[in-house]
Amino acid sequence: MKKVLLIAAAMFLALAATVGLAPTASAYPELTCNLTVEPQVLNEGETFTATATAAEVESSARAAAEGDDIAWEMTFNGETRTGTGAVFVQKFKAPNVDDTTKLTLTAKSTSTAGTCPHQVTITVLPDGTTVSPPDDGGLPNTGGPRLLILLAGLGLLAAGVVAVRKSRSNNA
């Protein structure tokens, strides 16, 4: 009985030492961020909206709710904008390009919890490269088959049906 009590006491002391000496999760605050862009493919001269959000995990409730200690730096096509807050929204204009060009939008949030960088690739198309819908609002004529080709296809289908029927009647 004494051995069981001694083992139980040793296990209790080991558990207390493990829990008591383990670092707390709040000692390591973490900064998480996200960057969304709408639209990511656009024609030259069009504008797009970049929305960056950040949150501090395991920080003070007031700072996490306000986001007042989160600083932002957003860069696109050589233009840098800065601001503060948990949400940072900016509009950028796509530059004029001669060929389809991929440009990088970078956003970096910084706070006492650390730094969180994000990048999104924006595709800029030269003017006139996208297909516009027809003026009358209907669907465009995409060149469906001509009547002669349609009749030939129906004839081949009928010949296939006859061939299958004959082969099945011969096997029976």
Side-chain angles (χ1 to χ4, degrees), residues 112-153:
T112 56
T115 302
C116 185
H118 261 287
Q119 293 184 339
V120 174
T121 301
I122 309 296
T123 304
V124 181
L125 305 172
D127 213 15
T129 57
T130 57
V131 178
S132 58
D135 294 334
D136 63 358
L139 293 175
N141 182 0
T142 57
R146 298 197 170 255
L147 181 60
L148 185 58
I149 296 173
L150 178 65
L151 293 175

Side-chain angles (χ1 to χ4, degrees), residues 11-166:
M11 289 176 58
F12 178 73
L13 286 174
L15 177 65
T18 303
V19 172
L21 298 176
T24 61
S26 63
Y28 303 104
E30 182 181 332
L31 180 67
T32 61
C33 64
N34 191 24
L35 175 63
T36 57
V37 175
E38 187 60 39
Q40 285 183 296
V41 178
L42 60 152
N43 286 329
E44 61 185 8
E46 292 181 344
T47 60
F48 66 91
T49 302
T51 304
T53 58
E56 292 179 326
V57 180
E58 298 294 333
S59 69
S60 68
R62 184 182 113 23
E66 301 278 333
D68 55 1
D69 67 335
I70 299 174
W72 285 100
E73 182 178 287
M74 196 176 285
T75 305
F76 175 72
N77 196 31
E79 181 181 354
T80 300
R81 299 181 186 171
T82 59
T84 59
V87 178
F88 187 60
V89 179
Q90 293 294 308
K91 289 187 180 284
F92 290 96
K93 185 175 182 181
N96 292 335
V97 294
D98 294 328
D99 296 319
T100 300
T101 306
K102 294 184 184 282
L103 299 170
T104 302
L105 169 75
T106 59
K108 180 173 72 170
S109 61
T110 307
S111 79
T112 56
T115 302
C116 185
H118 261 287
Q119 293 184 339
V120 174
T121 301
I122 309 296
T123 304
V124 181
L125 305 172
D127 213 15
T129 57
T130 57
V131 178
S132 58
D135 294 334
D136 63 358
L139 293 175
N141 182 0
T142 57
R146 298 197 170 255
L147 181 60
L148 185 58
I149 296 173
L150 178 65
L151 293 175
L154 288 174
L156 289 172
L157 179 67
V161 168
V162 169
V164 168
R165 301 264 304 166
K166 283 196 173 227

